[in-house]
Amino acid sequence: MRTSCPSTMLPFLQKLETRSILTEEEKRIILDLPFRPMRVAANQDFVQQGEELTHSCFILEGMVGTFGQNKRGERQITSVFMAGDMIDLNTVVIPQAIADLQALIPSTILQVPHSALRRAAGQYPGIAEAFWRECVIDAAVLNEWVMNVGRRDARSRLAHLLCEIACRTGRKPIEDGYSFPFPITQNQLADMLGLTAVHVNRTMKGLREDKIIDTVHRTVKILNWIRLTQLGEFDPAYLRLGGADSGCGGPVPVPLPPMQMVQ
Amino acid sequence: MRTSCPSTMLPFLQKLETRSILTEEEKRIILDLPFRPMRVAANQDFVQQGEELTHSCFILEGMVGTFGQNKRGERQITSVFMAGDMIDLNTVVIPQAIADLQALIPSTILQVPHSALRRAAGQYPGIAEAFWRECVIDAAVLNEWVMNVGRRDARSRLAHLLCEIACRTGRKPIEDGYSFPFPITQNQLADMLGLTAVHVNRTMKGLREDKIIDTVHRTVKILNWIRLTQLGEFDPAYLRLGGADSGCGGPVPVPLPPMQMVQ
DNA sequence: CGATTGTTTGACGGGTCTCAAACTAAGTGG
DNA sequence: CCACTTAGTTTGAGACCCGTCAAACAATCG
């Protein structure tokens, strides 16, 4: 277990700082968090539902999904995480895996012990709030997913997902011609959308024919961002990614002052 | 704004204590939380998506749902809250409504100012953790709902929802013959399940014909709990309601020691 | 270059939606 | 307490979106 390596915990700090204000001391605590790197192959489960956990998982590289299964074995991916995301900060307060965790592509995971995370949160209310806020944003995404699978047809559903991934991938403003890697199987896409792979394929074909997106290899190219967001009824505000300069046109989030300053 | 009335904040404290350990001092802080009561009629929106909020809403009595709409005006209820639930503790750390809030039946809401909640959380890490944990459990429910609307057919979907509501309503163990009030329109049910009211009606009829449930007036009576949970593929663990004595057969949650005690 | 995995396309079937109307329960005013 | 009104439930017939099954094709990998 390495105990200090700012260059790898840095993306975690950066993610936190897009949504929360941290003091210099708090930043250092985050950067000094201990971790153990772990390589995970595509389609490999590395956490099982119900399992007692002693650490949270940070994605240094790759893409990970949480999922559940039917009695009939049909999978539903309930959320997706990508490089820079701490997947299961929620297990810090409920150390039991709520769902299976599987790498969607080969990924590098950093395991960060709960003990260190709890110590940080307990000593620095600003950190506790930042962690709490991350969990709340993850829940906001879940909320959108319920909306997505519940009340949108296949075309709209796919459009929404692509918008979300595009925004979460991109640091730059999203405009026509923007492309991002999305090395995801149509089967995995189907499991995210509550559809079948066959229907995802046809739906994607439709988007391509209408010149809304294009797919080359495993990269998605956005041809008509406006149409895509309209189709997906997508408003990026819930992602809390930052201001207009994040490329999603959402309102600039005003981070609250740390809790300990509030009297 | 009343500033002390233990008898009304008591249900909030009780809810927290089923999942978190609080010190005597922390309990008193919770009971002394200020609030302003508000009466809300059925089908009345009382929070709009995007709205800046200065308080969270506790349900003293009634039932409330969060929901979104698509362009065609079709609603999706993304989560349901009932008496004893603090609906939007998440807005303490992100004071912007993520979704509309609507009373599903006539309800009594207690508005608790964020300032008081933040002060409590900032001064008492145990309270911060308890709040954070509540948000995480709400997210776990959302996770199940994605699974529900994504990969279960109407019958299974309805069964799962009824199981969830039964567990969240009941203090006693659930057994055949258990009945609980569920004064919800089939239209509202449809919006929770991502179905149409017509299909909800037919599906419910099927459950009645198979002697799995019965409905009299607006009360659901469970005739065959085992069958219902099997149909809904329901495992109550994610609800974190307590031990076997909660009637849901889940594992007894072991609350963590307060964060400040962890070194 | 062969084997495996993922994509694409076609034909058909089924679960759910849509539209419509009858029926029932609940609430309202005289 | 009774007409009246409104909201919610129930049932039927037909249409449609998406699933299922199957097979050909393309891409990836060792």
Side-chain angles (χ1 to χ4, degrees):
Chain A
M1 171 107 42
R2 302 165 72 177
T3 53
S4 75
C5 184
S7 65
T8 43
M9 272 297 137
L10 189 58
F12 180 42
L13 175 61
Q14 288 171 334
K15 167 62 71 66
L16 291 178
E17 286 197 285
T18 62
R19 299 155 168 173
S20 302
I21 294 175
L22 297 174
T23 66
E24 289 305 317
E25 193 176 356
E26 288 165 347
K27 292 180 196 175
R28 200 167 34 70
I29 296 287
I30 297 295
L31 290 176
D32 288 346
L33 246 22
F35 60 84
R36 182 171 52 199
M38 180 174 69
R39 191 73 195 157
V40 186
N43 301 314
Q44 183 187 337
D45 285 27
F46 59 96
V47 168
Q48 312 242 359
Q49 189 196 21
E51 190 179 332
E52 291 295 326
L53 299 174
T54 58
H55 56 265
S56 289
C57 299
F58 177 76
I59 307 182
L60 189 61
E61 195 194 348
M63 197 173 269
V64 170
T66 66
F67 67 91
Q69 295 207 131
N70 265 0
K71 290 282 154 58
R72 294 171 53 190
E74 299 164 328
R75 295 201 322 171
Q76 173 69 45
I77 298 181
T78 54
S79 48
V80 180
F81 297 94
M82 31 216 298
D85 291 336
M86 186 71 90
I87 305 174
D88 51 357
L89 221 32
N90 50 353
T91 61
V92 172
V93 289
I94 296 188
Q96 195 178 14
I98 186 190
D100 293 353
L101 249 45
Q102 182 178 92
L104 302 176
I105 56 176
S107 305
T108 305
I109 304 296
L110 305 182
Q111 297 184 324
V112 184
H114 284 162
S115 56
L117 292 166
R118 291 181 63 78
R119 191 180 312 125
Q123 291 181 335
Y124 299 89
I127 291 180
E129 183 179 356
F131 288 176
W132 178 6
R133 182 174 290 118
E134 292 300 309
C135 287
V136 165
I137 292 169
D138 289 344
V141 175
L142 273 175
N143 194 73
E144 273 296 315
W145 279 45
V146 172
M147 186 70 206
N148 213 30
V149 290
R151 283 287 186 235
R152 289 199 261 260
D153 64 13
R155 190 178 169 87
S156 187
R157 234 182 266 191
L158 177 57
H160 189 96
L161 180 66
L162 291 175
C163 287
E164 181 188 316
I165 301 292
C167 280
R168 289 172 62 185
T169 306
R171 299 282 171 264
K172 300 290 174 58
I174 294 182
E175 50 188 25
D176 295 349
Y178 175 78
S179 57
F180 58 96
F182 195 41
I184 288 300
T185 285
Q186 290 186 352
N187 234 310
Q188 292 170 325
L189 257 180
D191 289 341
M192 294 180 198
L193 298 170
L195 298 169
T196 56
V198 171
H199 202 66
V200 165
N201 185 287
R202 291 191 233 267
T203 307
M204 213 137 191
K205 183 185 175 188
L207 291 183
R208 265 188 260 113
E209 286 172 350
D210 293 349
K211 304 261 185 280
I212 297 172
I213 63 163
D214 199 6
T215 53
V216 277
H217 297 293
R218 292 287 175 75
T219 300
V220 175
K221 184 174 188 178
I222 290 170
L223 301 180
N224 192 335
W225 176 242
I226 302 292
R227 283 281 313 275
L228 191 65
T229 55
Q230 287 171 348
L231 252 181
E233 301 172 347
F234 181 77
D235 175 355
Y238 73 98
L239 290 173
R240 301 274 146 186
L241 286 169
D245 59 312
S246 76
C248 288
V252 180
V254 181
L256 298 174
M259 288 194 295
Q260 74 267 35
M261 296 180 61
V262 177
Q263 290 294 340
Chain B
M1 172 104 43
R2 300 166 73 178
T3 53
S4 75
C5 184
S7 65
T8 43
M9 272 297 137
L10 189 58
F12 180 42
L13 175 61
Q14 289 171 334
K15 167 64 69 66
L16 291 178
E17 286 197 284
T18 61
R19 298 154 169 174
S20 301
I21 294 176
L22 297 173
T23 65
E24 288 304 319
E25 193 176 358
E26 287 166 346
K27 292 179 195 175
R28 199 166 35 72
I29 296 288
I30 298 295
L31 290 175
D32 287 345
L33 246 20
F35 59 86
R36 183 171 53 197
M38 180 174 69
R39 192 74 197 159
V40 187
N43 301 314
Q44 184 186 337
D45 285 27
F46 59 98
V47 169
Q48 311 243 358
Q49 189 197 21
E51 189 179 332
E52 291 294 326
L53 299 174
T54 58
H55 56 264
S56 288
C57 299
F58 177 76
I59 307 182
L60 190 61
E61 195 193 349
M63 196 173 269
V64 170
T66 66
F67 67 90
Q69 295 205 131
N70 59 14
K71 291 282 158 56
R72 294 171 53 189
E74 298 163 330
R75 296 201 321 172
Q76 174 68 46
I77 297 180
T78 54
S79 48
V80 180
F81 297 94
M82 32 216 300
D85 291 336
M86 186 71 90
I87 305 173
D88 51 357
L89 221 33
N90 50 351
T91 62
V92 172
V93 289
I94 297 190
Q96 196 177 14
I98 187 190
D100 292 353
L101 249 45
Q102 182 177 93
L104 301 177
I105 57 177
S107 304
T108 305
I109 303 297
L110 305 183
Q111 297 184 323
V112 184
H114 284 163
S115 55
L117 293 167
R118 291 182 62 78
R119 192 180 312 126
Q123 292 182 337
Y124 300 90
I127 290 180
E129 182 179 357
F131 288 176
W132 178 5
R133 182 173 290 118
E134 293 299 309
C135 288
V136 165
I137 291 169
D138 289 343
V141 175
L142 273 174
N143 193 74
E144 273 297 315
W145 279 45
V146 173
M147 186 70 205
N148 213 30
V149 290
R151 284 287 185 232
R152 289 199 262 261
D153 64 13
R155 190 178 169 88
S156 187
R157 236 182 265 190
L158 177 56
H160 188 96
L161 180 66
L162 291 175
C163 288
E164 180 188 316
I165 301 292
C167 280
R168 289 173 62 185
T169 307
R171 299 281 171 265
K172 301 289 175 57
I174 294 183
E175 51 189 24
D176 296 349
Y178 175 80
S179 58
F180 58 97
F182 194 41
I184 288 300
T185 286
Q186 290 185 352
N187 234 311
Q188 293 170 325
L189 257 180
D191 290 341
M192 294 181 196
L193 299 171
L195 298 170
T196 57
V198 170
H199 202 63
V200 165
N201 184 286
R202 291 192 233 265
T203 307
M204 212 137 191
K205 182 185 175 189
L207 292 183
R208 266 188 260 113
E209 286 173 350
D210 293 350
K211 304 261 185 278
I212 297 172
I213 63 163
D214 198 6
T215 54
V216 277
H217 296 294
R218 292 288 173 76
T219 301
V220 174
K221 183 174 189 178
I222 290 170
L223 300 180
N224 192 335
W225 176 242
I226 303 293
R227 283 282 311 275
L228 191 64
T229 55
Q230 286 170 349
L231 252 181
E233 302 172 346
F234 180 77
D235 175 357
Y238 72 98
L239 289 173
R240 301 272 145 188
L241 285 170
D245 58 314
S246 76
C248 288
V252 179
V254 181
L256 298 173
M259 288 194 293
Q260 73 267 38
M261 296 180 61
V262 178
Q263 289 293 340

